[in-house]
Amino acid sequence: MSPTFIVRRATPEDEAGVSELLLASYPGLMRTAYDQTILEAALPLITRANPALLSAGTYYLAVNEDGFAAGCGGWSRERPGSSEVRPELAHIRHFATRPEWLGRGIGRQLFRRCEEDARLSGVRRFECQASLNAEGFYAALGFISVGRIEVRIGPGPMLQSVLMERTI
Protein backbone atom coordinates (compact mmCIF):
# COMPACT_ATOMS: atom_id res chain seq x y z
CA MET A 1 0.00 0.00 0.00
CA SER A 2 1.34 3.44 -0.99
CA PRO A 3 1.77 6.11 1.66
CA THR A 4 -0.86 8.85 1.75
CA PHE A 5 0.27 12.35 0.90
CA ILE A 6 -1.34 15.70 1.48
CA VAL A 7 -0.60 18.83 -0.49
CA ARG A 8 0.28 21.85 1.60
CA ARG A 9 1.45 25.35 0.80
CA ALA A 10 5.21 25.76 0.77
CA THR A 11 6.75 28.61 2.76
CA PRO A 12 10.15 30.33 2.70
CA GLU A 13 11.20 27.95 5.50
CA ASP A 14 10.91 25.09 2.98
CA GLU A 15 13.70 26.49 0.77
CA ALA A 16 16.39 23.94 1.70
CA GLY A 17 13.97 21.01 1.42
CA VAL A 18 12.63 22.13 -1.97
CA SER A 19 16.17 22.62 -3.29
CA GLU A 20 17.10 19.14 -2.09
CA LEU A 21 14.01 17.68 -3.79
CA LEU A 22 14.80 19.47 -7.07
CA LEU A 23 18.39 18.22 -6.91
CA ALA A 24 17.16 14.67 -6.29
CA SER A 25 14.79 14.86 -9.28
CA TYR A 26 16.09 16.96 -12.15
CA PRO A 27 19.58 15.55 -12.93
CA GLY A 28 18.43 11.99 -13.53
CA LEU A 29 15.20 12.81 -15.30
CA MET A 30 16.65 15.53 -17.54
CA ARG A 31 19.66 13.55 -18.75
CA THR A 32 17.29 11.55 -20.96
CA ALA A 33 16.50 14.70 -22.97
CA TYR A 34 19.50 17.03 -22.71
CA ASP A 35 23.19 17.00 -23.49
CA GLN A 36 25.52 16.79 -20.48
CA THR A 37 27.13 20.15 -21.34
CA ILE A 38 23.77 21.92 -21.16
CA LEU A 39 22.91 20.17 -17.90
CA GLU A 40 26.23 21.11 -16.29
CA ALA A 41 25.42 24.78 -16.90
CA ALA A 42 21.67 24.65 -16.16
CA LEU A 43 21.35 22.29 -13.17
CA PRO A 44 23.07 24.53 -10.60
CA LEU A 45 20.47 27.20 -11.41
CA ILE A 46 17.29 25.13 -11.79
CA THR A 47 17.85 22.91 -8.76
CA ARG A 48 17.52 25.84 -6.36
CA ALA A 49 14.18 26.76 -4.83
CA ASN A 50 12.79 30.06 -6.07
CA PRO A 51 12.25 32.33 -3.02
CA ALA A 52 9.57 34.35 -4.83
CA LEU A 53 7.53 31.20 -5.51
CA LEU A 54 7.92 30.02 -1.91
CA SER A 55 6.62 33.40 -0.68
CA ALA A 56 3.73 33.64 -3.14
CA GLY A 57 1.34 31.18 -1.47
CA THR A 58 0.87 29.37 -4.80
CA TYR A 59 3.68 26.82 -4.48
CA TYR A 60 3.03 23.47 -2.85
CA LEU A 61 4.64 20.37 -1.39
CA ALA A 62 3.24 16.84 -1.40
CA VAL A 63 4.18 15.48 2.04
CA ASN A 64 3.42 12.33 4.02
CA GLU A 65 2.41 12.13 7.69
CA ASP A 66 6.09 12.37 8.71
CA GLY A 67 6.58 15.58 6.74
CA PHE A 68 8.62 13.84 4.01
CA ALA A 69 8.30 15.82 0.76
CA ALA A 70 7.99 13.63 -2.33
CA GLY A 71 6.99 16.34 -4.79
CA CYS A 72 6.68 20.07 -5.34
CA GLY A 73 5.16 22.46 -7.84
CA GLY A 74 3.09 25.58 -8.18
CA TRP A 75 1.88 28.43 -10.33
CA SER A 76 2.30 32.17 -10.72
CA ARG A 77 0.49 34.97 -12.45
CA GLU A 78 3.82 36.35 -13.69
CA ARG A 79 5.31 34.84 -16.81
CA PRO A 80 8.58 33.10 -15.85
CA GLY A 81 11.54 35.43 -16.29
CA SER A 82 9.41 38.58 -16.49
CA SER A 83 6.82 40.60 -14.62
CA GLU A 84 4.24 40.25 -17.40
CA VAL A 85 0.75 39.42 -16.12
CA ARG A 86 -2.22 38.73 -18.37
CA PRO A 87 -5.80 38.48 -17.07
CA GLU A 88 -7.08 34.93 -16.55
CA LEU A 89 -3.66 33.39 -17.39
CA ALA A 90 -1.26 31.70 -14.97
CA HIS A 91 1.96 29.75 -15.37
CA ILE A 92 2.80 26.29 -14.02
CA ARG A 93 6.16 26.45 -12.26
CA HIS A 94 9.03 24.28 -10.99
CA PHE A 95 7.33 20.86 -10.68
CA ALA A 96 9.37 17.89 -9.49
CA THR A 97 8.80 14.44 -8.01
CA ARG A 98 11.46 12.32 -6.41
CA PRO A 99 12.38 9.62 -8.94
CA GLU A 100 11.53 6.77 -6.54
CA TRP A 101 8.00 8.20 -6.18
CA LEU A 102 7.21 8.67 -9.89
CA GLY A 103 4.01 7.07 -11.14
CA ARG A 104 2.16 7.34 -7.82
CA GLY A 105 -0.02 10.34 -8.66
CA ILE A 106 1.99 12.91 -6.72
CA GLY A 107 2.47 15.26 -9.69
CA ARG A 108 -1.21 14.94 -10.58
CA GLN A 109 -2.20 15.69 -6.96
CA LEU A 110 0.00 18.82 -6.98
CA PHE A 111 -1.45 19.93 -10.30
CA ARG A 112 -5.03 19.50 -9.06
CA ARG A 113 -4.25 21.78 -6.11
CA CYS A 114 -2.79 24.37 -8.49
CA GLU A 115 -5.85 24.11 -10.70
CA GLU A 116 -8.31 24.49 -7.82
CA ASP A 117 -6.56 27.48 -6.26
CA ALA A 118 -5.92 29.21 -9.59
CA ARG A 119 -9.55 28.79 -10.67
CA LEU A 120 -10.68 30.38 -7.37
CA SER A 121 -8.36 33.30 -8.19
CA GLY A 122 -9.99 33.89 -11.59
CA VAL A 123 -7.50 32.00 -13.73
CA ARG A 124 -9.00 30.29 -16.78
CA ARG A 125 -5.88 29.09 -18.62
CA PHE A 126 -2.45 27.73 -17.71
CA GLU A 127 0.75 28.01 -19.68
CA CYS A 128 3.80 25.86 -19.01
CA GLN A 129 7.37 26.05 -20.27
CA ALA A 130 7.96 22.30 -20.06
CA SER A 131 11.37 20.71 -20.23
CA LEU A 132 11.60 18.18 -23.05
CA ASN A 133 11.50 15.25 -20.61
CA ALA A 134 8.35 16.61 -18.92
CA GLU A 135 6.25 17.08 -22.06
CA GLY A 136 4.55 13.68 -21.62
CA PHE A 137 3.63 14.43 -18.00
CA TYR A 138 1.93 17.70 -18.93
CA ALA A 139 0.23 16.13 -21.96
CA ALA A 140 -1.25 13.48 -19.62
CA LEU A 141 -2.71 16.36 -17.58
CA GLY A 142 -4.44 17.74 -20.68
CA PHE A 143 -1.88 20.33 -21.78
CA ILE A 144 -1.49 20.88 -25.52
CA SER A 145 1.88 21.61 -27.11
CA VAL A 146 1.97 25.04 -28.74
CA GLY A 147 5.54 24.65 -30.01
CA ARG A 148 9.22 24.47 -29.19
CA ILE A 149 10.81 27.42 -27.43
CA GLU A 150 14.18 28.26 -25.93
CA VAL A 151 14.25 29.34 -22.29
CA ARG A 152 17.22 31.29 -20.96
CA ILE A 153 18.40 29.85 -17.65
CA GLY A 154 19.73 32.86 -15.74
CA PRO A 155 22.97 34.07 -17.30
CA GLY A 156 23.55 30.53 -18.53
CA PRO A 157 22.41 28.47 -21.47
CA MET A 158 19.28 28.38 -23.53
CA LEU A 159 17.26 25.29 -22.66
CA GLN A 160 15.13 23.73 -25.39
CA SER A 161 11.60 23.52 -23.98
CA VAL A 162 7.99 23.11 -25.06
CA LEU A 163 5.39 25.82 -24.58
CA MET A 164 2.19 24.09 -23.50
CA GLU A 165 -1.24 25.37 -22.52
CA ARG A 166 -4.43 24.12 -20.93
CA THR A 167 -7.83 25.58 -20.23
CA ILE A 168 -8.93 25.08 -16.63
Side-chain angles (χ1 to χ4, degrees), residues 89-111:
L89 175 67
H91 305 274
I92 290 297
R93 305 286 301 274
H94 231 172
F95 265 63
T97 299
R98 291 182 186 276
E100 65 271 24
W101 294 98
L102 289 172
R104 299 185 191 194
I106 291 168
R108 185 173 295 279
Q109 193 175 353
L110 285 159
F111 176 74

Side-chain angles (χ1 to χ4, degrees), residues 4-166:
T4 301
F5 286 84
I6 62 161
V7 174
R8 70 162 176 84
R9 287 186 200 281
T11 68
E13 290 75 31
D14 293 311
E15 184 171 358
V18 169
S19 292
E20 190 275 325
L21 196 159
L22 295 170
L23 187 58
S25 175
Y26 285 179
L29 296 175
M30 294 182 82
R31 79 168 166 243
T32 64
Y34 295 98
D35 181 80
Q36 186 62 30
T37 305
I38 294 290
L39 291 178
E40 286 173 4
L43 286 172
L45 301 170
I46 64 175
T47 57
R48 290 190 310 215
N50 181 324
L53 288 176
L54 294 176
S55 297
T58 58
Y59 196 75
Y60 312 96
L61 288 172
V63 299
N64 70 6
E65 61 276 357
D66 297 325
F68 173 80
C72 60
W75 61 279
S76 69
R77 291 243 184 218
E78 299 81 19
R79 182 179 301 275
S82 78
S83 58
E84 178 189 351
V85 175
R86 291 180 30 205
E88 298 187 357
L89 175 67
H91 305 274
I92 290 297
R93 305 286 301 274
H94 231 172
F95 265 63
T97 299
R98 291 182 186 276
E100 65 271 24
W101 294 98
L102 289 172
R104 299 185 191 194
I106 291 168
R108 185 173 295 279
Q109 193 175 353
L110 285 159
F111 176 74
R112 292 293 173 236
R113 176 66 182 270
C114 291
E115 184 179 38
E116 291 167 11
D117 289 357
R119 189 178 288 124
L120 290 172
S121 295
V123 171
R124 297 296 171 249
R125 189 167 58 90
F126 275 139
E127 269 188 1
C128 176
Q129 296 176 355
S131 59
L132 299 178
N133 57 290
E135 182 178 10
F137 166 72
Y138 290 111
L141 293 174
F143 281 79
I144 304 297
S145 175
V146 176
R148 296 284 175 115
I149 59 173
E150 290 188 331
V151 176
R152 177 155 306 279
I153 305 299
M158 298 296 279
L159 193 68
Q160 290 291 317
S161 301
V162 182
L163 181 63
M164 302 184 81
E165 59 184 33
R166 182 185 192 280

